[in-house]
Amino acid sequence: MNDFNEKFLYHIWDQQHLKSELTLESGKTIKVLFSGHWNRGAGADFKNAILEIDGVNIQGDVEIHINTYDWNAHNHQDDANFNQVVLHVVYENKTSQQYTIKENGDLSEILKINDKLSEEIQKFLETENNLHFTEHEKYCPVFSIQNEWIPRLLTEYGMERFYRKIKRFKAELSFSSFDQLLYQGIFESLGYTNNKFPFYQLATQVPYVKIRQMIAEGYQKMDILSLWLHTSDLINLLPSGVKTVFSNDLNESFITHKYDVSDMNFDWNLFRIRPVNHPVLRLVQVLDFIYDSVDIGLTRHILKLFSFEKDKLSVISFRRRAQLFLSKQSLKDFDTRLGSSRIDMILINIIIPIIYIYSQKMEYEDLASYCIFLYKEFPGLSENTISNTMKKYLTEDIEQFIHTKAVNQQGLIQIYQTYCVNHLCDSCKNHLDAIKIKVNEE
C-alpha cells in the first residue's frame, strides 16, 4: 500500500471516489446517499451521513481509518462520542472482523475500500511515488493558459455541484420534512466552515416543528432566541453587545419556561472570528425570518420569493426580494442584519436546490425551470478560501470570467475538491479533453 494519511481518505470519502457497487465486510450491499458533514471537531470524521444498507436507509456517523485496528489504537472503543457511528470505513482490513464494536456494545458495519476505489484515484495511487509538487508551483495545465473550453468546463462542474447538493438534500428528506430541511440548511449556512456542524446540531436539537408549536402557544421572539442560546450553550458565549441589551430577558425567559435543554456537546469555534460573524449574532439575524414563517410554514414562506409573473422572472428581481426578505430584523435597541453576501450564499447553496427538489416532487415544471435559470444566471458571489487559493493558477481573463456568475465559482469549487486538493492534474486535463471530443462529435 502507498504511504498516505487519513486526510486523503477523507477526501476519497467526501467526494465519493469509489466504485458504484459497494459491499460491506458483512456481505451486505451499501449505497452512499450522503457522505455526511465533514467534522473537524471532536467525535467521528463525518456526521449524519445517510446510507442505504440492504435496501434500508439509515442515518449516522462515519469514522475513517487506514486500518481496522486503528479503531482500538485510537481508543474509540472506550469513547461514547463514537456511539453514533454506523459505518467504519477502512483502507485495509487485515483482520477477520465483519463489524466494529462501539463503547455501548453495539456493532458498526465495516467498509473496506482499497479494492473499491474509482479508476482515477487508483491510477493516482499507482503513480504517486513518481509525482513531485512544490509549494511554489504556479502552473496548471488547464487554468494557467487561455483556453476557450474553460467556460464549458466550469459550467459542467458547476451543475455537477448543484446536482450533488440535490442528491444530499433528497437523502436528508427521507428523515425530514421540507420545512425542517430548509431550516437546518439555513442554520448550517450561518456557520461558515468552522461552525457549520454546531449550527446543524442546534437545528436538529430545536427542530422547526418545535418552534411552530411554541409560537402557537404564545411564545415570543425572545423566548425562541433564549431556547436556541441555552440549548447550544451560546448563552455562556454572548458577545458584549448582546449581553448588555438582552442578557436579563434571555435568562428570565429560561427561568420562566424551564426549557428542557439537552447535554449535547456543541464545539463552537470562535478563534479569530469577526464580530459580525459571531454565532449569537447570526441567530439574532435570522430570528425574524424564522418567526414570521410559522403561520404558513417555512417552505410556503420561502416560496413567496419565487412568485413572479413570467415576464418579470429576472435574477435581479429575485435577488432584491430575497435581500429584503432575509435581512429583516426588528428586535428593539439592537440592529444587526444578514449581509447581502451571506444571503446570496444561502440562496445558492440551500434555498434554490431545495426548492428545486420541492418543484420536482410537486411536478411544478415552471418552478423547476426557474430554479435552474436562477442557479445558472445568478451573479458572482464573494471570494472564499478556495477561490483565493486558486487565484495563482488563473489567467486574468479566466479569473474575471469565473467571478461573473455563481455557477462558474461553484464549478471552480467542484474542480478544486475533485482534482486540485490532491494534485489529480492529469485526471482534470483528461476530463477537459473528453469535453472537447464530445462537443466536436455533436
Side-chain angles (χ1 to χ4, degrees), residues 280-294:
V280 172
L281 295 187
R282 289 300 189 200
L283 290 173
V284 172
Q285 290 162 358
V286 297
L287 179 59
D288 272 85
F289 177 69
I290 299 298
Y291 192 91
D292 291 346
S293 73
V294 298

Side-chain angles (χ1 to χ4, degrees), residues 137-154:
E137 184 179 359
K138 294 188 179 181
Y139 175 76
C140 166
V142 174
F143 289 103
S144 290
I145 56 176
Q146 197 60 35
N147 194 317
E148 62 180 315
W149 298 96
I150 291 299
R152 176 69 179 262
L153 183 70
L154 288 167

Side-chain angles (χ1 to χ4, degrees), residues 83-274:
N83 282 343
Q84 301 305 312
V85 170
V86 295
L87 183 66
H88 186 197
V89 177
V90 299
Y91 184 79
E92 290 184 317
N93 183 11
K94 295 181 179 180
T95 73
S96 58
Q97 288 179 243
Q98 294 184 353
Y99 301 95
T100 291
I101 303 175
K102 297 181 283 189
E103 183 269 345
N104 61 5
D106 289 346
L107 302 179
S108 173
E109 296 281 356
I110 296 175
L111 174 65
K112 174 173 67 75
I113 64 171
N114 63 348
D115 57 348
K116 302 177 180 68
L117 301 175
S118 65
E119 184 177 349
E120 62 185 6
I121 290 292
Q122 192 61 53
K123 287 181 178 178
F124 172 73
L125 293 179
E126 290 170 356
T127 59
E128 68 163 348
N129 291 333
N130 299 320
L131 299 178
H132 302 283
F133 301 97
T134 62
E135 185 177 348
H136 303 290
E137 184 179 359
K138 294 188 179 181
Y139 175 76
C140 166
V142 174
F143 289 103
S144 290
I145 56 176
Q146 197 60 35
N147 194 317
E148 62 180 315
W149 298 96
I150 291 299
R152 176 69 179 262
L153 183 70
L154 288 167
T155 300
E156 185 167 311
Y157 275 100
M159 292 311 298
E160 178 182 324
R161 185 165 174 80
F162 178 75
Y163 288 114
R164 284 176 64 91
K165 297 179 199 293
I166 298 300
K167 180 182 177 182
R168 173 226 163 149
F169 289 132
K170 278 186 175 179
E172 290 190 304
L173 192 58
S174 62
F175 294 92
S176 184
S177 65
F178 276 106
D179 282 349
Q180 178 63 22
L181 194 61
L182 285 161
Y183 172 70
Q184 64 196 33
I186 290 169
F187 265 50
E188 185 182 331
S189 287
L190 300 177
Y192 292 87
T193 300
N194 290 335
N195 287 315
K196 275 187 175 183
F197 188 66
F199 268 114
Y200 178 86
Q201 281 181 297
L202 177 56
T204 57
Q205 284 297 299
V206 184
Y208 184 71
V209 67
K210 172 70 173 177
I211 301 296
R212 294 192 76 176
Q213 178 186 353
M214 289 176 63
I215 295 174
E217 294 174 359
Y219 286 75
Q220 302 300 308
K221 291 177 185 177
M222 192 59 62
D223 299 320
I224 304 302
L225 182 60
S226 177
L227 177 59
W228 283 341
L229 296 179
H230 281 90
T231 299
S232 63
D233 198 40
L234 285 171
I235 193 68
N236 296 313
L237 300 170
L238 295 179
S240 57
V242 175
K243 186 180 294 186
T244 301
V245 178
F246 296 135
S247 183
N248 290 338
D249 291 339
L250 292 169
N251 287 321
E252 182 179 338
S253 172
F254 182 76
I255 293 170
T256 300
H257 299 294
K258 300 177 181 178
Y259 300 123
D260 182 16
V261 176
S262 72
D263 58 357
M264 177 178 286
N265 178 44
F266 287 82
D267 190 15
W268 297 104
N269 187 340
L270 305 183
F271 181 64
R272 290 184 178 175
I273 196 167
R274 293 175 58 202

Side-chain angles (χ1 to χ4, degrees), residues 381-399:
L381 308 177
S382 59
E383 293 274 11
N384 56 53
T385 303
I386 291 176
S387 62
N388 284 328
T389 299
M390 291 295 289
K391 269 185 179 180
K392 59 185 178 183
Y393 300 106
L394 308 176
T395 67
E396 185 175 342
D397 288 344
I398 291 175
E399 183 181 352

